[in-house]
Amino acid sequence: MRVSIPAGIATSLAALFSVYHLVLAATTLPRVSDVGPVVACMVLYAAATGVALFVKGTALPVWATCFALATAVMMPVVAAPVVEPGVAPGYTTWWIAAVGTLMVILVVRQRGPFAWAGVLFLAVHTVLWAGLGALGSLGVLGSVTWVAVATAFAAATNRATRITRDFVRAERETADWQAAQDAHVFERQFRLSQTTRMALPMLQRIIDSCGDLTDAERTECLHLEQAIRDEIRGRSLLSDDVREEVMRLRRRGAVVQLHDDGGLDELEADDVRRIHAQLADALRQAWDADNVIVRTVPEGSGAAVTVVGLRLDVAASESAALGTAHDDDDDGDEDDSVALWLEIPRHERA
């Protein structure tokens, strides 16, 4: 964000002043000893001013800046010899004001050092050409003053721009911080309300019975505690249907583990609903599994969720416990067999 007057107005004013200098130069052609150098300076000045005004960008490119500075150096050198300094020159020294205007444009286009080099050369050349007193009578001091004013204005504008940018950045950071705080408060309230909704009936039962719960109620307390943990560890995997199926498996005696590693965070809502529906169906199919593990897959894989159901091999477990397992059995055999293996795709297949 930049604090400035409209670019069109500034460009129009600068172009108007530049055209004014060219008009003055044209009116003084009959009063110079040689028209050629003056016309050449007019053409050079028009080209340099056009480049300085209409080249795109906030800061003038280096090549355009060097062209403008070279013009400011060449105009006094070329135009001064055809003007008699001893006689009141009038507007025949139009190039002095023209150089000042061109250097002011450089200051506005963020090229202050080049502009000061141009007006200092103009001052030195004028002193060597017409004497020290010509600095005031020919308007060199006026050109230097305009460059100084433009430099101060550019510095103030740049400072205002930096301050405005800092304020905008601070406002954006404040808004981000407030949004984060609001999100934390909302999340905390949501989790508290959800935990209260899940645990309140059992807590009321504990209060009413003074803690004297039946074995079934104690088991249900463990199931509720596991469900509350699911809300933390497997939050993106949960929907109402998934919660119901997980609780059904746990009440049957199965161990269910939900692990959310952030693989569903960037998915669209339709894909998430589809994954939840397929996950609920998969849990219904795991009716004979003793251990069910559900885990999200990190982004970059074709699958979004993997579901593994393991069935405990009771006979193998009893043989191992009694020491009657055959010695020639493979050492890598496990006591668990796979009852369910499912990968839910990240996106719906065509």
Side-chain angles (χ1 to χ4, degrees):
M1 183 176 182
R2 179 164 292 277
V3 179
S4 63
I5 63 175
I9 296 178
T11 302
S12 300
L13 290 175
L16 182 62
F17 274 106
S18 301
V19 171
Y20 174 69
H21 295 315
L22 293 176
V23 172
L24 290 181
T27 60
T28 60
L29 290 177
R31 302 172 54 187
V32 297
S33 59
D34 190 357
V35 176
V38 177
V39 173
C41 289
M42 292 172 62
V43 173
L44 189 62
Y45 174 70
T49 304
V51 169
L53 286 178
F54 298 110
V55 171
K56 300 295 184 180
T58 302
L60 193 64
V62 175
W63 67 267
T65 305
C66 294
F67 178 48
L69 180 59
T71 300
V73 171
M74 292 300 298
M75 286 173 60
V77 174
V78 174
V82 300
V83 177
E84 179 58 43
V87 182
Y91 293 124
T92 54
T93 56
W94 61 274
W95 37 269
I96 293 179
V99 169
T101 302
L102 183 57
M103 295 300 100
V104 168
I105 294 174
L106 291 189
V107 173
V108 175
R109 297 298 302 272
Q110 308 296 318
R111 295 299 182 183
F114 290 89
W116 279 105
V119 294
L120 289 178
F121 177 83
L122 176 65
V124 172
H125 179 272
T126 303
V127 170
L128 296 177
W129 173 59
L132 187 61
L135 291 177
S137 61
L138 298 182
V140 177
L141 293 180
S143 297
V144 175
T145 302
W146 276 111
V147 172
V149 171
T151 301
F153 177 77
T157 302
N158 291 336
R159 183 174 181 274
T161 301
R162 289 193 300 270
I163 293 175
T164 303
R165 189 183 299 114
D166 292 340
F167 277 129
V168 171
R169 183 170 58 251
E171 181 181 8
R172 187 181 301 112
E173 291 175 353
T174 302
D176 293 341
W177 178 85
Q178 185 63 46
Q181 294 301 313
D182 293 342
H184 288 316
V185 171
F186 174 79
E187 183 70 14
R188 182 166 58 250
Q189 292 176 343
F190 175 76
R191 293 300 172 190
L192 286 175
S193 63
Q194 194 172 38
T195 302
T196 301
R197 178 175 56 83
M198 296 171 59
L200 185 59
M202 183 57 69
L203 293 176
Q204 188 63 47
R205 171 60 184 155
I206 293 173
I207 294 174
D208 295 340
S209 65
C210 297
D212 187 13
L213 302 177
T214 64
D215 291 341
E217 290 174 337
R218 293 179 183 276
T219 302
E220 186 67 16
C221 287
L222 294 177
H223 294 161
L224 289 175
E225 187 268 343
Q226 292 171 348
I228 293 174
R229 290 181 181 273
D230 290 341
E231 299 294 335
I232 300 174
R233 296 184 301 186
R235 51 186 296 182
S236 70
L237 291 168
L238 294 174
S239 66
D240 291 340
D241 291 342
V242 173
R243 291 185 182 94
E244 181 180 349
E245 294 302 323
V246 169
M247 186 60 71
R248 182 182 62 81
L249 288 173
R250 283 175 175 156
R251 286 169 178 165
R252 186 180 57 77
V255 177
V256 182
Q257 304 176 47
L258 302 180
H259 301 282
D260 176 18
D261 298 325
L264 308 182
D265 294 341
E266 302 300 328
L267 292 181
E268 299 292 337
D270 292 340
D271 288 329
V272 174
R273 284 193 292 267
R274 175 185 53 79
I275 291 172
H276 286 164
Q278 294 182 7
L279 177 57
D281 291 338
L283 294 176
R284 294 187 189 99
Q285 299 173 20
W287 59 271
D288 61 341
D290 300 306
N291 191 356
V292 179
I293 303 172
V294 181
R295 184 182 295 274
T296 60
V297 180
E299 189 174 1
S301 174
V305 177
T306 59
V307 184
V308 179
L310 301 178
R311 185 187 304 110
L312 182 62
D313 191 340
V314 178
S317 298
E318 291 178 352
S319 298
L322 296 174
T324 59
H326 296 289
D327 294 337
D328 56 352
D329 286 347
D330 192 293
D331 293 338
D333 288 344
E334 299 289 343
D335 290 340
D336 293 344
S337 59
V338 177
L340 173 67
W341 172 271
L342 177 64
E343 289 186 343
I344 301 176
R346 185 171 301 274
H347 301 287
E348 188 173 8
R349 295 188 177 95

PDB file of all heavy atoms in Angstrom, residues 14 44-45 80 93 125 148 154 177 191 222 225 233 240 246 264 280 295 313 341 344:
ATOM      1  N   ALA A  14       3.451  16.913 -14.390  1.00  0.00           N
ATOM      2  CA  ALA A  14       4.843  16.875 -14.837  1.00  0.00           C
ATOM      3  C   ALA A  14       4.935  17.048 -16.352  1.00  0.00           C
ATOM      4  O   ALA A  14       5.807  17.764 -16.867  1.00  0.00           O
ATOM      5  CB  ALA A  14       5.493  15.562 -14.404  1.00  0.00           C
ATOM      6  N   LEU A  44      16.062  15.856 -27.193  1.00  0.00           N
ATOM      7  CA  LEU A  44      16.620  14.999 -26.147  1.00  0.00           C
ATOM      8  C   LEU A  44      15.821  15.129 -24.857  1.00  0.00           C
ATOM      9  O   LEU A  44      15.523  14.140 -24.183  1.00  0.00           O
ATOM     10  CB  LEU A  44      18.085  15.377 -25.913  1.00  0.00           C
ATOM     11  CG  LEU A  44      18.903  14.454 -24.995  1.00  0.00           C
ATOM     12  CD1 LEU A  44      18.979  13.058 -25.596  1.00  0.00           C
ATOM     13  CD2 LEU A  44      20.311  15.026 -24.797  1.00  0.00           C
ATOM     14  N   TYR A  45      15.433  16.371 -24.536  1.00  0.00           N
ATOM     15  CA  TYR A  45      14.672  16.607 -23.305  1.00  0.00           C
ATOM     16  C   TYR A  45      13.281  15.959 -23.393  1.00  0.00           C
ATOM     17  O   TYR A  45      12.802  15.356 -22.428  1.00  0.00           O
ATOM     18  CB  TYR A  45      14.544  18.102 -23.050  1.00  0.00           C
ATOM     19  CG  TYR A  45      13.656  18.445 -21.883  1.00  0.00           C
ATOM     20  CD1 TYR A  45      14.050  18.165 -20.576  1.00  0.00           C
ATOM     21  CD2 TYR A  45      12.409  19.045 -22.079  1.00  0.00           C
ATOM     22  CE1 TYR A  45      13.242  18.474 -19.503  1.00  0.00           C
ATOM     23  CE2 TYR A  45      11.584  19.351 -21.006  1.00  0.00           C
ATOM     24  CZ  TYR A  45      12.007  19.061 -19.722  1.00  0.00           C
ATOM     25  OH  TYR A  45      11.202  19.368 -18.666  1.00  0.00           O
ATOM     26  N   ALA A  80      24.424  25.916 -23.830  1.00  0.00           N
ATOM     27  CA  ALA A  80      25.035  27.131 -23.284  1.00  0.00           C
ATOM     28  C   ALA A  80      25.897  27.891 -24.295  1.00  0.00           C
ATOM     29  O   ALA A  80      25.862  29.136 -24.340  1.00  0.00           O
ATOM     30  CB  ALA A  80      25.851  26.786 -22.036  1.00  0.00           C
ATOM     31  N   THR A  93      17.723  30.582 -21.624  1.00  0.00           N
ATOM     32  CA  THR A  93      18.296  29.569 -20.712  1.00  0.00           C
ATOM     33  C   THR A  93      17.190  28.654 -20.162  1.00  0.00           C
ATOM     34  O   THR A  93      17.214  28.248 -19.002  1.00  0.00           O
ATOM     35  CB  THR A  93      19.048  30.247 -19.559  1.00  0.00           C
ATOM     36  OG1 THR A  93      18.146  31.136 -18.887  1.00  0.00           O
ATOM     37  CG2 THR A  93      20.253  31.003 -20.065  1.00  0.00           C
ATOM     38  N   HIS A 125      28.352  23.842 -13.679  1.00  0.00           N
ATOM     39  CA  HIS A 125      28.499  24.296 -15.057  1.00  0.00           C
ATOM     40  C   HIS A 125      28.093  25.764 -15.199  1.00  0.00           C
ATOM     41  O   HIS A 125      28.743  26.542 -15.918  1.00  0.00           O
ATOM     42  CB  HIS A 125      27.658  23.429 -15.986  1.00  0.00           C
ATOM     43  CG  HIS A 125      27.728  23.840 -17.420  1.00  0.00           C
ATOM     44  ND1 HIS A 125      26.884  24.782 -17.981  1.00  0.00           N
ATOM     45  CD2 HIS A 125      28.561  23.454 -18.438  1.00  0.00           C
ATOM     46  CE1 HIS A 125      27.185  24.963 -19.237  1.00  0.00           C
ATOM     47  NE2 HIS A 125      28.204  24.142 -19.551  1.00  0.00           N
ATOM     48  N   ALA A 148      15.199  19.863  -3.697  1.00  0.00           N
ATOM     49  CA  ALA A 148      15.222  19.671  -2.241  1.00  0.00           C
ATOM     50  C   ALA A 148      13.806  19.454  -1.700  1.00  0.00           C
ATOM     51  O   ALA A 148      13.574  18.578  -0.849  1.00  0.00           O
ATOM     52  CB  ALA A 148      15.872  20.880  -1.571  1.00  0.00           C
ATOM     53  N   ALA A 154       9.291  13.251  -0.933  1.00  0.00           N
ATOM     54  CA  ALA A 154       9.428  11.817  -1.182  1.00  0.00           C
ATOM     55  C   ALA A 154       9.781  11.067   0.098  1.00  0.00           C
ATOM     56  O   ALA A 154       9.258   9.971   0.354  1.00  0.00           O
ATOM     57  CB  ALA A 154      10.481  11.564  -2.257  1.00  0.00           C
ATOM     58  N   TRP A 177      -4.660 -13.305  15.283  1.00  0.00           N
ATOM     59  CA  TRP A 177      -4.594 -13.732  16.679  1.00  0.00           C
ATOM     60  C   TRP A 177      -6.000 -13.871  17.265  1.00  0.00           C
ATOM     61  O   TRP A 177      -6.298 -14.842  17.967  1.00  0.00           O
ATOM     62  CB  TRP A 177      -3.779 -12.718  17.485  1.00  0.00           C
ATOM     63  CG  TRP A 177      -3.703 -13.044  18.948  1.00  0.00           C
ATOM     64  CD1 TRP A 177      -2.821 -13.870  19.571  1.00  0.00           C
ATOM     65  CD2 TRP A 177      -4.565 -12.531  19.978  1.00  0.00           C
ATOM     66  NE1 TRP A 177      -3.071 -13.918  20.917  1.00  0.00           N
ATOM     67  CE2 TRP A 177      -4.138 -13.113  21.197  1.00  0.00           C
ATOM     68  CE3 TRP A 177      -5.643 -11.650  19.983  1.00  0.00           C
ATOM     69  CZ2 TRP A 177      -4.762 -12.823  22.406  1.00  0.00           C
ATOM     70  CZ3 TRP A 177      -6.260 -11.369  21.191  1.00  0.00           C
ATOM     71  CH2 TRP A 177      -5.832 -11.941  22.385  1.00  0.00           C
ATOM     72  N   ARG A 191     -15.814 -29.197  22.811  1.00  0.00           N
ATOM     73  CA  ARG A 191     -15.366 -30.432  23.449  1.00  0.00           C
ATOM     74  C   ARG A 191     -16.020 -30.613  24.813  1.00  0.00           C
ATOM     75  O   ARG A 191     -16.404 -31.732  25.192  1.00  0.00           O
ATOM     76  CB  ARG A 191     -13.846 -30.428  23.590  1.00  0.00           C
ATOM     77  CG  ARG A 191     -13.109 -30.483  22.266  1.00  0.00           C
ATOM     78  CD  ARG A 191     -13.463 -31.720  21.496  1.00  0.00           C
ATOM     79  NE  ARG A 191     -12.899 -31.693  20.143  1.00  0.00           N
ATOM     80  CZ  ARG A 191     -13.206 -32.569  19.198  1.00  0.00           C
ATOM     81  NH1 ARG A 191     -14.080 -33.525  19.450  1.00  0.00           N
ATOM     82  NH2 ARG A 191     -12.677 -32.484  18.001  1.00  0.00           N
ATOM     83  N   LEU A 222     -15.894 -47.530  31.412  1.00  0.00           N
ATOM     84  CA  LEU A 222     -14.668 -47.681  30.627  1.00  0.00           C
ATOM     85  C   LEU A 222     -14.924 -47.396  29.156  1.00  0.00           C
ATOM     86  O   LEU A 222     -14.104 -46.775  28.479  1.00  0.00           O
ATOM     87  CB  LEU A 222     -14.122 -49.096  30.813  1.00  0.00           C
ATOM     88  CG  LEU A 222     -13.634 -49.460  32.233  1.00  0.00           C
ATOM     89  CD1 LEU A 222     -13.192 -50.923  32.273  1.00  0.00           C
ATOM     90  CD2 LEU A 222     -12.485 -48.548  32.650  1.00  0.00           C
ATOM     91  N   GLU A 225     -15.150 -43.696  28.735  1.00  0.00           N
ATOM     92  CA  GLU A 225     -13.817 -43.084  28.805  1.00  0.00           C
ATOM     93  C   GLU A 225     -13.062 -43.260  27.495  1.00  0.00           C
ATOM     94  O   GLU A 225     -12.402 -42.345  26.998  1.00  0.00           O
ATOM     95  CB  GLU A 225     -13.056 -43.690  29.975  1.00  0.00           C
ATOM     96  CG  GLU A 225     -11.716 -43.031  30.284  1.00  0.00           C
ATOM     97  CD  GLU A 225     -10.551 -43.696  29.556  1.00  0.00           C
ATOM     98  OE1 GLU A 225     -10.740 -44.851  29.092  1.00  0.00           O
ATOM     99  OE2 GLU A 225      -9.488 -43.080  29.451  1.00  0.00           O
ATOM    100  N   ARG A 233      -8.229 -38.292  19.946  1.00  0.00           N
ATOM    101  CA  ARG A 233      -7.234 -38.956  19.098  1.00  0.00           C
ATOM    102  C   ARG A 233      -7.743 -39.270  17.697  1.00  0.00           C
ATOM    103  O   ARG A 233      -6.940 -39.425  16.784  1.00  0.00           O
ATOM    104  CB  ARG A 233      -6.769 -40.258  19.778  1.00  0.00           C
ATOM    105  CG  ARG A 233      -6.043 -40.053  21.087  1.00  0.00           C
ATOM    106  CD  ARG A 233      -5.539 -41.352  21.657  1.00  0.00           C
ATOM    107  NE  ARG A 233      -6.622 -42.304  21.893  1.00  0.00           N
ATOM    108  CZ  ARG A 233      -6.458 -43.486  22.497  1.00  0.00           C
ATOM    109  NH1 ARG A 233      -5.244 -43.840  22.892  1.00  0.00           N
ATOM    110  NH2 ARG A 233      -7.480 -44.292  22.674  1.00  0.00           N
ATOM    111  N   ASP A 240     -21.674 -39.718  13.636  1.00  0.00           N
ATOM    112  CA  ASP A 240     -22.620 -40.385  14.530  1.00  0.00           C
ATOM    113  C   ASP A 240     -22.682 -41.880  14.262  1.00  0.00           C
ATOM    114  O   ASP A 240     -22.714 -42.697  15.202  1.00  0.00           O
ATOM    115  CB  ASP A 240     -24.009 -39.755  14.366  1.00  0.00           C
ATOM    116  CG  ASP A 240     -24.060 -38.329  14.895  1.00  0.00           C
ATOM    117  OD1 ASP A 240     -23.179 -37.981  15.712  1.00  0.00           O
ATOM    118  OD2 ASP A 240     -24.963 -37.577  14.500  1.00  0.00           O
ATOM    119  N   VAL A 246     -18.510 -48.111  16.722  1.00  0.00           N
ATOM    120  CA  VAL A 246     -17.374 -48.316  17.625  1.00  0.00           C
ATOM    121  C   VAL A 246     -17.869 -48.752  18.996  1.00  0.00           C
ATOM    122  O   VAL A 246     -17.327 -49.688  19.613  1.00  0.00           O
ATOM    123  CB  VAL A 246     -16.538 -47.024  17.719  1.00  0.00           C
ATOM    124  CG1 VAL A 246     -15.529 -47.133  18.854  1.00  0.00           C
ATOM    125  CG2 VAL A 246     -15.810 -46.765  16.407  1.00  0.00           C
ATOM    126  N   LEU A 264      -7.217 -36.330   6.718  1.00  0.00           N
ATOM    127  CA  LEU A 264      -8.495 -35.908   6.152  1.00  0.00           C
ATOM    128  C   LEU A 264      -8.703 -34.408   6.212  1.00  0.00           C
ATOM    129  O   LEU A 264      -9.786 -33.926   5.849  1.00  0.00           O
ATOM    130  CB  LEU A 264      -9.650 -36.606   6.891  1.00  0.00           C
ATOM    131  CG  LEU A 264      -9.582 -38.128   7.013  1.00  0.00           C
ATOM    132  CD1 LEU A 264     -10.825 -38.649   7.719  1.00  0.00           C
ATOM    133  CD2 LEU A 264      -9.423 -38.775   5.656  1.00  0.00           C
ATOM    134  N   ALA A 280     -18.139 -46.673   8.630  1.00  0.00           N
ATOM    135  CA  ALA A 280     -19.200 -47.290   9.431  1.00  0.00           C
ATOM    136  C   ALA A 280     -19.562 -48.668   8.871  1.00  0.00           C
ATOM    137  O   ALA A 280     -19.757 -49.635   9.634  1.00  0.00           O
ATOM    138  CB  ALA A 280     -20.414 -46.371   9.470  1.00  0.00           C
ATOM    139  N   ARG A 295      -6.902 -46.079  11.095  1.00  0.00           N
ATOM    140  CA  ARG A 295      -5.875 -45.037  11.046  1.00  0.00           C
ATOM    141  C   ARG A 295      -5.991 -44.258   9.733  1.00  0.00           C
ATOM    142  O   ARG A 295      -6.217 -44.858   8.682  1.00  0.00           O
ATOM    143  CB  ARG A 295      -4.478 -45.638  11.171  1.00  0.00           C
ATOM    144  CG  ARG A 295      -3.346 -44.613  11.217  1.00  0.00           C
ATOM    145  CD  ARG A 295      -1.994 -45.304  11.292  1.00  0.00           C
ATOM    146  NE  ARG A 295      -1.837 -46.050  12.521  1.00  0.00           N
ATOM    147  CZ  ARG A 295      -1.394 -45.514  13.669  1.00  0.00           C
ATOM    148  NH1 ARG A 295      -1.071 -44.230  13.704  1.00  0.00           N
ATOM    149  NH2 ARG A 295      -1.276 -46.266  14.742  1.00  0.00           N
ATOM    150  N   ASP A 313      -6.639 -66.000  17.633  1.00  0.00           N
ATOM    151  CA  ASP A 313      -6.663 -67.455  17.416  1.00  0.00           C
ATOM    152  C   ASP A 313      -6.602 -68.127  18.788  1.00  0.00           C
ATOM    153  O   ASP A 313      -5.543 -68.311  19.370  1.00  0.00           O
ATOM    154  CB  ASP A 313      -5.480 -67.861  16.547  1.00  0.00           C
ATOM    155  CG  ASP A 313      -5.610 -69.304  16.059  1.00  0.00           C
ATOM    156  OD1 ASP A 313      -6.376 -70.057  16.681  1.00  0.00           O
ATOM    157  OD2 ASP A 313      -4.959 -69.642  15.055  1.00  0.00           O
ATOM    158  N   TRP A 341      -9.471 -56.349   6.234  1.00  0.00           N
ATOM    159  CA  TRP A 341      -8.470 -55.392   5.747  1.00  0.00           C
ATOM    160  C   TRP A 341      -9.138 -54.535   4.681  1.00  0.00           C
ATOM    161  O   TRP A 341      -9.627 -55.041   3.682  1.00  0.00           O
ATOM    162  CB  TRP A 341      -7.251 -56.106   5.177  1.00  0.00           C
ATOM    163  CG  TRP A 341      -6.284 -55.151   4.497  1.00  0.00           C
ATOM    164  CD1 TRP A 341      -6.292 -54.764   3.194  1.00  0.00           C
ATOM    165  CD2 TRP A 341      -5.207 -54.466   5.116  1.00  0.00           C
ATOM    166  NE1 TRP A 341      -5.282 -53.866   2.948  1.00  0.00           N
ATOM    167  CE2 TRP A 341      -4.587 -53.657   4.121  1.00  0.00           C
ATOM    168  CE3 TRP A 341      -4.686 -54.430   6.408  1.00  0.00           C
ATOM    169  CZ2 TRP A 341      -3.491 -52.847   4.385  1.00  0.00           C
ATOM    170  CZ3 TRP A 341      -3.589 -53.633   6.671  1.00  0.00           C
ATOM    171  CH2 TRP A 341      -2.999 -52.848   5.662  1.00  0.00           C
ATOM    172  N   ILE A 344      -9.899 -47.265   2.435  1.00  0.00           N
ATOM    173  CA  ILE A 344     -10.928 -46.360   1.909  1.00  0.00           C
ATOM    174  C   ILE A 344     -10.231 -45.302   1.063  1.00  0.00           C
ATOM    175  O   ILE A 344      -9.347 -44.588   1.562  1.00  0.00           O
ATOM    176  CB  ILE A 344     -11.720 -45.712   3.049  1.00  0.00           C
ATOM    177  CG1 ILE A 344     -12.390 -46.797   3.896  1.00  0.00           C
ATOM    178  CG2 ILE A 344     -12.759 -44.737   2.507  1.00  0.00           C
ATOM    179  CD1 ILE A 344     -13.121 -46.265   5.108  1.00  0.00           C
TER     180      ILE A 344
END
